[in-house]
Structure formats: structure tokens, C-alpha cells
Amino acid sequence: MGAPNVTGFSAVDLVPPLSVAPWAGILGGTMLAFYAFLGFEDMATIAEEVKSAPRTLPAGILATLAITTALYGAVAVVAVLAVPADVLAASEAPLAVLFQEAGGGSPHVLAVIRVLAVLKRPPIPVISVLPLLYWASDHEMLPAGLSRGTPR
């Protein structure tokens, strides 16, 4: 057991120093975890709208994982075949190096693609709010003007 071997330890030892590097890493990790788990919450909310969710949702998750793994693997293989491994390892932005070496284009295009990929995320939670608004409307918990819908 690890607990009996801990001596002279206090909770203050867990606080990182007040420099930028450790806190930037903590903030980056926090944002990544928050962003990663938002999708799972949205899946649970939207699962009510899926036909045969116990069958189709796991299949969709597994298919997504398989496709993503294949895409990441293909990018890794192409990267090592197109650019020497030591050049990729020395770079702070290996995908930009690959893009520039293989395609001859400006790596700034990747920055635009990255921004667009991040911007697509905010509308997704709006989808998961819709069932809640429908429920609130159905139970007359919204003002009359917000509870109206179209006949369709």
C-alpha cells in the first residue's frame, strides 16, 4: 500500500509553482478533458431520439472509433513515408511540416482548418437542449409564446 509510505507530505505539495508553464499545461489538459467528455453527454441526451438506441448507439460508437483509428493510422503511415522521421521528431508542428513537404502549400491553411474544426463544436449542445425545451413546452413550463410550434 502506498499510503503508509507517505511521510512528510502535505496538500501544499500538490500545488504547482506560480510560473506559466505548469499552469498552461493544467489549463490545456482541463480544456481537452472538458471537450472530450462533452460528446458523451450529448450522446446520452440524443440517445432518446434514436430508433433502437441499445443496438445502434454502441455500433455507431464502435464504428466511429474504428474509422478514427484507421484515419490516424493512415496519417501516421503517410507522415513517416513522406518526411524523414528525424525531421518530424524535431518539429514542433509535424503535421504542418508534412503538409508543407508533401503538398507544397502553406502550413497556415492547417491553422484555418483547426479554427474551423473548433468552431463547429458550439452548435452541438444546442441539439441536446431541444428535447429539454420540448419537454418543458409539453408540460406548460414555458411562456405561451415559446410553446407554439408548427403543425409539422
Side-chain angles (χ1 to χ4, degrees):
M1 298 287 235
N5 297 329
V6 177
T7 56
F9 174 76
S10 71
V12 176
D13 295 333
L14 295 175
V15 178
L18 293 176
S19 60
V20 174
W23 287 100
I26 291 170
L27 180 63
T30 303
M31 289 175 57
L32 180 64
F34 177 75
Y35 232 57
F37 287 110
L38 274 179
F40 288 107
E41 179 188 349
D42 294 339
M43 277 193 301
T45 304
I46 298 301
E48 299 172 352
E49 308 297 324
V50 176
K51 292 181 182 177
S52 184
R55 184 177 52 85
T56 56
L57 204 56
I61 293 170
L62 291 175
T64 302
L65 287 173
I67 292 168
T68 304
T69 302
L71 286 173
Y72 273 101
V75 168
V77 168
V78 168
V80 214
L81 293 175
V83 180
D86 57 337
V87 174
L88 289 173
S91 172
E92 289 185 12
L95 193 57
V97 170
L98 173 65
F99 186 75
Q100 196 168 14
E101 292 287 324
S106 170
H108 296 295
V109 173
L110 288 179
V112 172
I113 293 171
R114 187 178 328 143
V115 168
L116 292 175
V118 170
L119 289 178
K120 74 161 181 60
R121 180 70 180 109
I124 293 174
V126 171
I127 295 170
S128 50
V129 169
L130 294 177
L132 177 64
L133 289 175
Y134 180 77
W135 179 87
S137 172
D138 195 41
H139 288 82
E140 299 176 358
M141 299 176 100
L142 291 177
L146 296 177
S147 295
R148 284 191 306 249
T150 65
R152 288 188 289 162

